[in-house]
Amino acid sequence: MKRLIPAALLLLAVSAHADNYSLPKHAVFEEECASCHMAFPPQMLHADSWRAMMGDLAHHFGSDASLDEKRRVAITDFLVTHAGGRKTGTTRDASGKPLLRITETARFEKKHREIAPATWKRASIKSPANCTACHARAAAGDYSERSINIPK
Ligand code: HEC
Ligand code: HEC
């Protein structure tokens, strides 16, 4: 028993200084939500945002991402269960509607304040939603500075 304590403390210390965006396991989510882009961490949006997005998958950022009802409900439950809390910052637009983009949340904007508008538009990046262009280990939930590389 005694030997478990230092390991537990170490784990606490690690999670206290780095946000954990590792992806909770969910087979249906991985199948359906990681084909057009990487699987975005549920922790990065508020539950209201996930509900709003999952309520209109036929008009998903210009794509049709519709699912059968069983899968839609299973994924919604998963996203809502792991959704981010206050740490995501403002998650509603000026009219009070839930934001649908992680890249429009106050927290995202704050973390990426130093990136120039022209950088987002580079051919190697294309969109702020293309996390893996700069965060090599994004799919593993690792956004730490040591794995950031902004492509030319
Ligand atoms: C048919 C392709 C397709 C599928 C399937 C799909 N998406 Fe998307 N998704 C897109 C496109 C296109 C965008 C916009 C990307 C951009 O702006 O660069 C997007 C954007 C997003 C964003 C916003 C990214 C940002 O800007 O912060 C989230 C969150 C998201 N998708 C979640 C999901 C979830 C959850 C699922 C599974 C239910 C899903 N997507 C399935 C095509 C898809
Ligand atoms: C153009 C490159 C680029 C893209 C694309 C990008 N980021 Fe970042 N991101 C950065 C840089 C650079 C930083 C570090 C900012 C700093 O520390 O000053 C950062 C920081 C972060 C952090 C904070 C990490 C920490 O340790 O505090 C998170 C979380 C993050 N990004 C998530 C995302 C997500 C999610 C996406 C996609 C929706 C994304 N990023 C897209 C360049 C990018």
Side-chain angles (χ1 to χ4, degrees):
M1 263 316 277
K2 256 187 187 157
R3 295 177 56 199
L4 284 174
I5 294 166
L9 282 178
L10 188 69
L11 210 70
L12 271 177
V14 167
S15 53
H17 88 83
D19 292 321
N20 181 13
Y21 293 114
S22 62
L23 217 55
K25 278 266 157 234
H26 193 275
V28 184
F29 170 71
E30 281 161 35
E31 260 171 63
E32 302 292 355
C33 303
S35 49
C36 300
H37 45 67
M38 67 162 226
F40 294 113
Q43 301 93 315
M44 287 195 180
L45 274 181
H46 192 276
D48 290 345
S49 299
W50 289 126
R51 284 193 199 94
M53 182 184 302
M54 295 302 292
D56 189 12
L57 285 175
H59 305 96
H60 180 78
F61 307 96
S63 290
D64 182 353
S66 349
L67 294 172
D68 67 57
E69 191 56 13
K70 217 174 131 198
R71 293 193 152 228
R72 192 189 68 81
V73 169
I75 294 172
T76 307
D77 285 351
F78 163 76
L79 291 168
V80 166
T81 301
H82 297 284
R86 277 171 300 160
K87 283 209 312 185
T88 51
T90 306
T91 51
R92 288 182 180 269
D93 67 16
S95 67
K97 280 204 282 188
L99 292 171
L100 300 183
R101 283 185 182 273
I102 292 164
T103 51
E104 285 175 353
T105 60
R107 184 173 179 78
F108 184 93
E109 285 177 357
K110 187 171 151 225
K111 294 281 184 190
H112 298 87
R113 207 166 22 207
E114 281 160 27
I115 297 174
T119 305
W120 296 122
K121 298 197 185 99
R122 284 180 191 163
S124 52
I125 299 171
K126 294 187 200 81
S127 160
N130 190 10
C131 320
T132 44
C134 304
H135 296 279
R137 297 185 28 82
D142 178 1
Y143 295 90
S144 60
E145 271 193 89
R146 73 186 119 76
S147 51
I148 297 175
N149 174 38
I150 302 179
K152 293 274 172 273

